[in-house]
Each structure stands twice: as C-alpha cells, then as structure tokens.
Amino acid sequence: MIFATLEHILTHISFSIISIVIMIHLMNLLVYEIEGLHNSSEKGMIATFFSITGFLVIRWISSGHFPLSNLYESLIFLSWSFSIIHMILYLGNPKNDLSAIAVPSAIFTQGFATSGLSTEMQQSAILVPALQSQWLMMHVSMMLLSYAALLCGSLLSVALIVITFRKNIDFFFRNKSFFSFRKSFFFGEMECLNEKGSLLKKTSFLSFRNFYKYQLIQRLDYWSYRVISLGFTFLTIGILSGAVWANEAWGSYWNWDPKETWAFITWTIFAIYLHTRTNPKLQDQGTNSAFVASIGFLLIWICYFGINLLGIGFHSYGSFQLISNEINYMKNT
C-alpha cells in the first residue's frame, strides 16, 4: 500500500512538472524569452527525471523485478528515456531550442500511461516464465532507449523538412516580388525608387532572418544525425541481446516474429538514413536523409505500439488483449 501511494505521488509530481515546463517553453517561444524561466525549465526537467527514476526504483523493489513487464511500465520508462535525451540535447546546446522536441514527447507518453490505461493495467504483475530472465533488463531497456532517441531524432528531421520547405516557399515569393519590381521600373522611375527604398529597409531584417534559419537548419541536421546515431547504436544492441535471449528461451536466434520483423525493418530504414546522411556523393544530404528519418518515425510506432495493439506473436506480453485476459483470470480466481 505504501509503495502504491509513493508511485501515485511520484507519477503525478513528474506529470505536473512536465506540464509546467511545457508552459514555460511556450511562454519563452511565443511571448518573451526570460533567462530565469529558461533556467527553471531545465531544473524542472531534472526534477522530472529524478521523480520518474524514483518511481521505477520503487516499482522495482515492490515487484521484485525490473519494471519493464507490461505496457504501462514500458511507457513510463520511455518517458524517462525522453528526459535523458532532453538533458543530452541541453548539454550539447545550452540555448535548448532543440529540447522542445523531447519535453512534449515525455508528457505525451506519460499522460497516456497514467490517463489512457485503466487502473488494472497499471498494476504490477508476476512475470510470465518467458520473461523471468536476466536478459529482460538488457534487451527491453536498450530497445526503449533506442525508441526514445530515434523518435527525438526523427522529429528533429521532420522539423528540418518543415523549415526547409517554408524557406523554399519564401524564396519563391521573394523572387516573384523581385520580378514585379523590375517590371515596375519600366513604368515609372519614381515608383521604382520608392520600392527600392522599401526593399533596402527590409534587406538587413531579411538577411538576419535567413541567417537565423540557416543556423537553425544546421543545428537540426547536426543533432538529428547524432541523436539518431545514438538511437541506432541502442537499437543494434537491443536486437542482438534479444537474439541471444530468444535462443535461450525458444531455441532459435531469429523466428521472424512480427516484433522482430518490424524491428529489423526499422533498423534497415535508419541504416539507410545513416548511409544517406554520410554519403558525400549524394546531393542535399540533410534533406534527403530527413525524409528517410520521417519514415522511420512511423515505423517505430508500428514496431512499439502497433504490434501491442494486435497482440500477436511471441512479443505480445504487453498487449491490451493479453492484459485484459490476465485481469479477467485474476478476477475469476
């Protein structure tokens, strides 16, 4: 009872802190950037990290096993992973304009875990025999850390695509206005001089805005590549450790289970991303690789969440259907 109360308190504390951090980010973005609020948001994410860490430790002690046995615990661990990615982005970029990706991801996963799942699905249960292995911590933690890193890196790539697309549109309309300016030159010298004066007044602002967009695109490309590389490393370790665990539990390293198949597809897509991003022979590497990463973003959710919804294959331990069956079984007995 005490452990359940502590878990309830820590989850609500972490969720409340993340909500406040998002409000601070919105205020800095839409209203005015205040240095004190900026520092408070970073302290809030550190407090969130320790709150979720406390929850995982308490759940570990109360259940007697590492808390990665069902969908609820995996979502909380995924939210904890997002907070780690947030701190990595902050250490590499003190301005922290890129951490706006990790914070909403953390509140989304934790909000769904605490509000979207029923109370019965949030309860810790005894591990099924297949999960009673030392490989549970290694395999599942690596996979969830890879999901968090790859999702954040993919979202950075999506932001890069959006900004690049808008930049191309702005460039097109500026060229169009320039042609109209040249056309007006033939109709009157006075009108031409007036338009030239107005353009000269806007030149410094436009050049500054374009330079800022260029810097932002470069940072998005830089950090998406590094975060995705980190996630790809975690994913590789997770798949290899899962293969060893599968051989121990089922007698075969690879069974082409739906979860395994989609994990392999996801690994292949991000391998293509890394090849596209680092191949000097390809033109416009950042934009092309960003499109590949956006495809990988969808594949991750299919691999992590879609298979659980279907409840098929050997990896259906955290599926809704299996959890409902366990709940009904416990009620009947």
Side-chain angles (χ1 to χ4, degrees), residues 125-293:
I126 300 175
L127 288 178
V128 297
L131 295 180
Q132 296 176 5
S133 173
Q134 299 297 328
W135 289 101
L136 173 66
M137 181 189 302
M138 178 69 176
H139 170 63
V140 183
S141 62
M142 286 295 102
M143 294 300 293
L144 290 176
L145 283 170
S146 71
Y147 291 160
L150 293 175
L151 286 171
C152 287
S154 299
L155 287 174
L156 291 174
S157 296
V158 171
L160 186 150
I161 293 173
V162 172
I163 295 174
T164 305
F165 183 71
R166 290 188 59 185
K167 182 180 179 181
N168 292 337
I169 292 178
D170 294 340
F171 179 77
F172 172 77
F173 282 108
R174 283 202 302 272
N175 284 343
K176 189 175 180 180
S177 63
F178 174 74
F179 289 136
S180 63
F181 167 74
R182 288 184 61 187
K183 183 178 179 180
S184 65
F185 176 81
F186 295 100
F187 285 96
E189 182 179 358
M190 186 62 67
E191 182 180 358
C192 173
L193 292 175
N194 290 335
E195 291 185 11
K196 184 177 180 180
S198 62
L199 286 175
L200 288 175
K201 291 179 181 179
K202 297 178 181 179
T203 300
S204 59
F205 173 74
L206 290 175
S207 60
F208 172 78
R209 186 176 64 179
N210 291 334
F211 179 71
Y212 174 77
K213 282 186 178 181
Y214 173 78
Q215 282 190 323
L216 180 59
I217 290 173
Q218 294 300 313
R219 288 202 302 271
L220 289 172
D221 181 51
Y222 177 88
W223 281 107
S224 62
Y225 169 63
R226 273 144 186 82
V227 173
I228 288 177
S229 299
L230 178 64
F232 183 80
T233 303
F234 286 145
L235 182 62
T236 304
I237 297 174
I239 291 176
L240 292 177
S241 60
V244 176
W245 187 11
N247 183 64
E248 180 184 293
W250 303 321
S252 175
Y253 288 100
W254 196 265
N255 300 279
W256 291 108
D257 180 70
K259 197 85 166 183
E260 295 175 350
T261 303
W262 281 102
F264 177 73
I265 294 173
T266 304
W267 185 91
T268 304
I269 287 296
F270 283 104
I272 295 173
Y273 165 86
L274 294 176
H275 172 72
T276 306
R277 176 60 178 73
T278 57
N279 191 349
K281 296 181 180 180
L282 297 177
Q283 295 181 352
D284 201 4
Q285 296 169 297
T287 305
N288 292 332
S289 60
F291 279 107
V292 178

